[in-house]
Amino acid sequence: MAIEVRIPTILRTHTDGQKAVEGSGDTLGELFDDLETRHAGIKERLVDGGQLRRFVNVYLNDEDVRFLDGITTKVADGDSVTILPAVAGGAGAEPRPAGAVAGRRAGGSR
């Protein structure tokens, strides 16, 4: 049995379009090393300076690994790892005035 790793759309170019791949290792870092042997370039999208990249969220069996042991979190056969890129607001978006509701002007009525 192996560890299932769910791949977000943005990283599927590294996995030939596969939504999920299998890997092995005793820690999350070792798992990423193992994935890199078959899916070149994926590790650099996940890890920087020996730590998870700031805008990459990784879940081990639905637990955020940042609240566990990060990249040194222990993994085992049968575990499920989900990689999710963080999503932020769009560039150039105008901030809404305090109290404004989407689709309405502050203080205005429809």
Side-chain angles (χ1 to χ4, degrees), residues 5 7-8 10 50 56 61 69 87:
V5 183
I7 307 296
I10 197 163
V56 173
N61 302 322
D69 292 321
V87 178

Side-chain angles (χ1 to χ4, degrees), residues 83-100:
I83 301 168
L84 291 174
V87 178
E94 294 182 30
R96 287 189 216 141

Side-chain angles (χ1 to χ4, degrees), residues 20-80:
V21 296
E22 291 187 347
S24 62
D26 291 328
T27 66
L28 199 55
E30 289 178 11
L31 173 64
F32 292 159
D33 288 340
D34 181 57
L35 291 179
E36 181 68 20
T37 65
R38 288 181 311 284
H39 308 288
I42 197 164
K43 183 178 175 184
E44 71 181 86
R45 302 289 185 193
L46 306 174
V47 178
D48 184 31
Q51 299 297 319
L52 286 175
R53 287 189 173 272
R54 184 173 174 202
F55 296 108
V56 173
N57 299 308
V58 177
Y59 297 87
L60 172 63
N61 302 322
D62 299 323
E63 290 285 328
D64 188 335
V65 300
R66 292 186 199 280
F67 297 105
L68 299 173
D69 292 321
I71 200 154
T72 61
T73 299
K74 298 282 186 191
V75 294
D77 282 351
D79 281 344
S80 176

